[in-house]
Amino acid sequence: MSDMSLLNGKWKLVAVDNAVEYYKAIGTAAEHIAQAERLLTPENNIVQEIEIVGNNVTLKLSVPGKVLEVRAVIGETTTVPFLDGRILKTVYELDGNKLLEKQSGGFVSNNTRYLEGNHLIYEQVAETGVSSTRKYIKL
């Protein structure tokens, strides 16, 4: 039995692991990697807000100077812009207490959001196997 409401809420970034290697693996241009490296730090107060209600998913990512919002329906393809301008086709699925996200279009990445203790873990895995993990605490 899953309780996706446990993922709901605002989560502050506290750690990022292997982001640069992941972005290289998915073919992100050097200037966009440098921008992500500057922005994706706990000091920048990055907040991810998750709302899952029924089959509707809303994700908001607040980074310095910008809020990115994605609204999707579980199992349906949604078009989402990537940080470097590539347009991705994204499908969200629920698997127990995990929110799965499959991205394609220019690259393929399988991403998972799940709880580990009191942390939200966001794991991104490129089709090459290179992965990056972000850890958040609930606000």
Side-chain angles (χ1 to χ4, degrees), residues 9-20:
K10 291 184 178 183
W11 300 88
K12 182 183 183 305
L13 182 70
V14 294
V16 179
D17 181 52
N18 212 39
V20 170

Side-chain angles (χ1 to χ4, degrees), residues 14-101:
V14 294
V16 179
D17 181 52
N18 212 39
V20 170
E21 291 308 313
Y22 170 79
Y23 286 130
K24 287 179 184 175
I26 62 170
T28 306
E31 67 267 17
H32 294 291
I33 293 173
Q35 178 186 24
E37 200 172 13
R38 282 192 310 274
L39 286 177
L40 280 177
T41 67
E43 295 77 27
N44 281 326
N45 293 314
I46 305 226
V47 174
Q48 179 173 183
E49 185 174 352
I50 300 173
E51 183 180 43
I52 302 170
V53 179
N55 283 333
N56 296 304
V57 177
T58 302
L59 302 171
K60 291 181 189 173
L61 182 64
S62 300
V63 298
K66 178 186 293 194
V67 176
L68 309 167
E69 183 173 328
V70 174
R71 291 181 180 271
V73 176
I74 297 296
E76 295 183 10
T77 300
T78 302
T79 303
V80 178
F82 190 63
L83 70 101
D84 62 4
R86 290 182 278 184
I87 302 300
L88 304 179
K89 296 200 179 298
T90 303
V91 178
Y92 295 92
E93 298 288 347
L94 302 176
D95 180 12
N97 289 329
K98 295 180 178 182
L99 177 62
L100 309 179
E101 171 186 44

